[in-house]
Amino acid sequence: MRIEVLSRTTQAGIDNVATVERRTRHLLDRLDDRIQRLEVQLVDENGPKGGVDRRCRVSAKLVDGEVLHAEARSELIPNAVDRAIRKLVRRITDLRGREIDGRRRAGGEAVAA
């Protein structure tokens, strides 16, 4: 999985970018084989004023070509990243569940009504 971090925030320095990459790899480790490329965008919408204005938007291009997005806001960049990545994990696992259900139905297994 290739990770690209794009930052437009005063709170994200070089250390934060490395932290974002490390945390992202940790949270997505079990789904690494399904994700081809991940883009993490960090934005501080109000600048140094503070508040719940740090936004993290993640876009994942899966190996099957599907693109999924998730977004979260928080006062701190790491919290916004964690929330956005966790939303993305749920979307990927939900998608995987739908694929498995579809294969079961196509395979002729009985499906309870």
Side-chain angles (χ1 to χ4, degrees), residues 2 5 9-10 13 17 20 29 32 59 65 79 83 95 99-100 112:
R2 192 175 83 215
V5 179
T9 175
T10 57
V17 171
V20 166
D29 184 48
D32 187 42
S59 301
N79 294 348
R83 289 177 186 159
L95 181 66
E99 289 172 359
I100 290 170

Side-chain angles (χ1 to χ4, degrees), residues 5 16-25 40 42 77 81:
V5 179
N16 264 346
V17 171
T19 301
V20 166
E21 286 182 12
R22 186 174 51 254
R23 187 69 184 143
T24 299
R25 286 194 187 282
V40 181
L42 306 172
I77 290 290
V81 170

Side-chain angles (χ1 to χ4, degrees), residues 1-4 24 28 31-41 56-71 84-93 95:
M1 165 178 47
R2 192 175 83 215
I3 299 174
E4 183 177 354
T24 299
L28 292 173
L31 299 171
D32 187 42
D33 62 329
R34 299 202 25 106
I35 302 171
Q36 178 179 347
R37 182 173 180 275
L38 187 79
E39 184 177 281
V40 181
Q41 296 176 350
C56 176
R57 184 171 197 267
V58 291
S59 301
K61 181 176 181 189
L62 305 182
V63 293
D64 64 2
E66 180 123 18
V67 179
L68 299 175
H69 305 281
E71 186 173 309
I85 295 296
R86 289 177 195 279
K87 285 180 185 180
L88 184 68
V89 166
R90 280 193 302 272
R91 289 189 177 136
I92 293 171
T93 54
L95 181 66

